[in-house]
Amino acid sequence: MGIIAQLLGKGKTGRQEEVTRLYELYKPPFLSFLRKYYGIDKETACDLYQESFITLCQNVRDGKYTEGQASLKTYLFEIGKRKACNWMRSNKMEPEEEQNLFSEWIAANETPREWREAQEIAAQLVQETEEICRRVLTLFYWERLPMAEIALRMNYKDADVAKNKKSSCLRRLTFELQKRLETIDIHWKRKEKK
């Protein structure tokens, strides 16, 4: 029996207990995910978790979620990613965040050897990145095109779709770059938000 069927089949008290159990079960990995990949402070991450969990419960109740489409946890994290992106956009964090990624690394690792190696790894990583991400990042960072123009060139619905794609690609690229640098004993950690 699936988790949704279990929830709907229980009495009111049983449902509340199960919802509370799921809330507590998914909270730590969700908070860790938002803090690690989005650099969001703990208090904001807790707020976004609560909003995401409420949305999850509403979607389950309204039949918008069915168990075959994704696990409950995956579905919750997808809701959370959207809410985190919206929160970052509304707080105008994204552009500053992205501009600081490499400047933070440079400040933390000033030796010329490490800088040259990091540049080589980053260049290789950009070449290995999927075509869509490489194209969006190139149009934004190298050609310095505005999001509306990128959306037009990539046949996206609007500038927001292009911006979300760029942010997603940059996060994946940054995560992979950090991982590869650590394999050659170059360590870089983004500054935590207070």
Side-chain angles (χ1 to χ4, degrees):
M1 181 184 286
I3 194 154
I4 301 307
Q6 288 176 14
L7 283 175
L8 297 177
K10 292 185 176 192
K12 186 176 180 180
T13 305
R15 270 195 300 268
Q16 288 174 339
E17 289 172 2
E18 187 64 15
V19 168
T20 301
R21 186 188 72 76
L22 290 173
Y23 183 89
E24 296 302 326
L25 178 69
Y26 295 147
K27 188 174 182 178
F30 186 97
L31 297 181
S32 177
F33 171 77
L34 285 188
R35 295 190 75 200
K36 180 176 181 178
Y37 293 104
Y38 293 85
I40 293 175
D41 64 272
K42 186 175 182 180
E43 185 177 328
T44 302
C46 285
D47 291 344
L48 290 172
Y49 177 69
Q50 188 165 357
E51 290 174 27
S52 299
F53 197 84
I54 289 169
T55 301
L56 169 75
C57 291
Q58 289 170 341
N59 289 354
V60 167
R61 188 186 60 231
D62 297 344
K64 294 180 183 176
Y65 168 79
T66 56
E67 289 185 84
Q69 67 190 86
S71 74
L72 201 59
K73 183 178 178 183
T74 300
Y75 188 71
L76 174 65
F77 276 53
E78 284 301 317
I79 293 168
K81 283 195 288 189
R82 273 187 249 113
K83 289 191 181 292
C85 287
N86 290 338
W87 182 86
M88 291 176 78
R89 203 173 12 263
S90 70
N91 287 283
K92 303 197 184 319
M93 290 180 63
E94 192 174 58
E96 180 183 325
E97 290 278 314
E98 291 170 0
Q99 290 170 357
N100 286 333
L101 288 176
F102 290 106
S103 61
E104 286 177 14
W105 188 85
I106 292 168
N109 302 285
E110 297 179 357
T111 68
R113 176 198 64 81
E114 287 180 343
W115 176 239
R116 274 193 312 278
E117 287 181 38
Q119 283 181 312
E120 290 169 11
I121 290 170
Q124 179 183 358
L125 188 56
V126 168
Q127 292 307 310
E128 294 172 7
T129 299
E130 67 182 69
E131 177 63 29
I132 292 172
C133 281
R134 183 170 49 248
R135 189 154 153 69
V136 168
L137 294 173
T138 299
L139 291 171
F140 185 79
Y141 288 105
W142 281 269
E143 295 184 26
R144 304 248 181 232
L145 294 179
M147 285 298 157
E149 177 67 22
I150 294 171
L152 188 64
R153 289 192 184 190
M154 298 294 293
N155 293 321
Y156 292 146
K157 178 181 163 190
D158 56 29
D160 285 338
V161 174
K163 187 175 181 180
N164 287 340
K165 184 65 176 175
K166 177 200 49 108
S167 297
S168 171
C169 290
L170 184 64
R171 275 192 300 279
R172 287 196 313 259
L173 186 75
T174 301
F175 177 74
E176 183 62 28
L177 176 61
Q178 185 174 358
K179 201 163 80 171
R180 289 187 187 191
L181 290 175
E182 287 174 354
T183 63
I184 61 167
D185 205 30
I186 297 176
H187 300 279
W188 164 56
K189 185 173 184 190
R190 290 190 65 192
K191 294 175 186 170
E192 288 282 329
K193 297 278 176 265
K194 302 240 175 173

